[in-house]
């Protein structure tokens, strides 16, 4: 019998900042989670209703306005549970009605679908990624051939470096990433493609990454892949070693 995935991820590009809003649908329960509801919320609701799914949960990758401005509109229609990292709720300071505050590694169940929350600080103190069944929703931590800004309130480029290295080393090369914005020529990618073509994942030393992220990066969207230098393929960092392993296999 053919193996059928328990869930589907639907992508909507909404708003003036090219945001991606995701609808994770659990097939067995006909329930769904919205990731980062913002901008044109009626389109999210219309998609769920058209496919016959009830929105029961809201997952937040972080608390910036462009990822949360549709939250109350969703809650006005659905009695949905809000999920975010506890540290991000403290940073945000927003009064939410009975949010489910998480720690790194917690598992969220949407019907039969199991979603793991990963703490990936850098863009904000409590930025999160969500993984499920070979997919990784990365918010403003990791874009296709880019990464989130680190010059905002309580951003930290050193933490961003650590978060990207964690994603590079903890997920398989074929994991599909789904970013928070459409800043590249294609909407999604794989960890392997990012290790090879994302310049933010080419650094062996944190101080070099920080300098590039904060002062030297001047690429414009849409982002395209940047070739990995040969010396980086042979470098000593865990990211570089993983790249070399993939390219040599």
């Amino acid at each position: 019998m053919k193996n059928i995935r328990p869930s589907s991820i639907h992508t909507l590009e909404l708003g003036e900042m090219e945001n991606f809003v995701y609808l994770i649908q659990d097939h067995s329960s006909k329930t769904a989670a919205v990731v980062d509801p913002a901008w044109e919320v009626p389109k999210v609701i219309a998609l769920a209703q058209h496919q016959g799914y009830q929105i029961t949960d809201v997952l937040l990758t972080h608390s910036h306005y462009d990822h949360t401005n549709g939250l109350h509109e969703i809650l006005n229609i659905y009695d949905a549970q809000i999920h975010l990292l506890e540290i991000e709720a403290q940073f945000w300071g927003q009064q939410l009605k009975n949010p489910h505050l998480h720690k790194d590694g917690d598992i969220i169940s949407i019907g039969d679908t199991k979603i793991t929350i990963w703490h990936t600080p850098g863009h904000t103190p409590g930025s999160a990624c969500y993984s499920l069944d070979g997919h990784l929703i990365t918010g403003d931590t990791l874009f296709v051939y880019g990464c989130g800004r680190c010059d905002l309130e309580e951003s930290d480029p050193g933490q961003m470096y650590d978060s990207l290295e964690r994603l590079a080393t903890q997920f398989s090369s074929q994991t599909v990433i789904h970013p928070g914005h459409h800043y590249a020529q294609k909407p999604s990618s794989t960890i392997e493609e990012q290790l090879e073509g994302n310049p933010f994942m080419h650094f062996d030393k944190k101080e070099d990454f920080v300098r590039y992220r904060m002062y030297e990066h001047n690429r414009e969207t849409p982002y395209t892949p940047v070739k990995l230098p040969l010396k980086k393929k042979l470098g000593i960092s865990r990211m570089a070693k993983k790249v070399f392993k993939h390219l040599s296999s």
Side-chain angles (χ1 to χ4, degrees):
M1 183 175 178
K2 186 177 180 181
N3 184 32
I4 300 176
R5 290 182 58 222
S7 61
S8 298
I9 301 175
H10 296 271
T11 307
L12 299 96
E13 182 181 344
L14 303 174
E16 60 193 50
M17 300 178 71
E18 302 173 285
N19 282 72
F20 282 133
V21 176
Y22 297 102
L23 193 67
I24 302 173
Q25 297 181 333
D26 177 74
H27 303 314
S28 66
S29 64
K30 304 293 284 187
T31 58
V34 180
V35 183
D36 290 354
W39 308 109
E40 302 162 78
V41 169
K43 292 184 178 180
V44 180
I45 295 171
L47 175 61
Q49 292 178 341
H50 175 73
Q51 298 193 349
Y53 283 77
Q54 180 76 9
I55 295 174
T56 57
D57 295 82
V58 175
L59 312 182
L60 300 181
T61 64
H62 64 294
S63 59
H64 284 161
Y65 175 80
D66 61 308
H67 292 258
T68 61
N69 63 60
L71 177 60
H72 293 296
E73 193 170 352
I74 287 284
L75 297 179
N76 284 338
I77 298 175
Y78 297 100
D79 184 23
Q81 176 71 65
I82 304 169
H83 302 267
L84 73 163
L85 283 168
E86 182 177 6
I87 189 172
E88 186 69 7
Q90 295 169 354
F91 164 70
W92 192 9
Q94 183 78 15
Q95 293 298 315
L96 301 172
K97 182 180 178 181
N98 298 321
H100 194 144
L101 302 183
H102 292 276
K103 298 186 184 301
D104 180 63
D106 283 356
I107 295 176
I108 301 165
S109 296
I110 311 295
D112 289 342
T113 301
K114 305 300 182 184
I115 304 170
T116 303
I117 186 168
W118 297 74
H119 183 202
T120 54
H123 184 63
T124 65
S127 284
C129 296
Y130 295 93
S131 66
L132 63 154
D133 194 27
H135 294 260
L136 182 65
I137 297 174
T138 57
D140 282 7
T141 297
L142 176 62
F143 301 135
V144 177
Y145 305 123
C147 78
R149 291 175 59 180
C150 297
D151 59 344
L152 304 173
E153 182 185 2
E154 293 195 39
S155 296
D156 188 319
Q159 289 185 336
M160 178 65 82
Y161 176 87
D162 293 337
S163 292
L164 294 179
E165 184 165 336
R166 187 184 189 201
L167 298 183
T169 56
Q170 295 298 309
F171 289 92
S172 74
S173 61
Q174 296 309 306
T175 299
V176 179
I177 70 159
H178 304 270
H181 294 271
H182 195 181
Y183 286 163
Q185 293 179 327
K186 59 181 183 178
S188 62
S189 182
T190 64
I191 291 291
E192 182 173 23
E193 288 175 336
Q194 295 313 296
L195 288 168
E196 295 175 8
N198 189 328
F200 291 106
M201 303 185 84
H202 292 171
F203 290 93
D204 298 332
K205 297 179 180 179
K206 184 181 294 188
E207 56 266 31
D208 293 338
F209 171 90
V210 170
R211 183 173 60 252
Y212 180 72
R213 171 68 276 183
M214 300 302 288
Y215 307 111
E216 297 176 356
H217 179 255
N218 59 2
R219 296 157 65 230
E220 296 183 355
T221 57
Y223 293 144
T224 56
V226 175
K227 187 176 180 180
L228 178 67
L230 178 61
K231 65 179 181 179
K232 296 297 183 182
K233 297 179 191 178
L234 302 174
I236 61 172
S237 75
R238 286 183 290 169
M239 283 195 281
K241 284 181 179 178
K242 188 168 185 179
V243 174
F244 183 60
K245 179 180 178 181
H246 292 326
L247 296 182
S248 300
S249 60

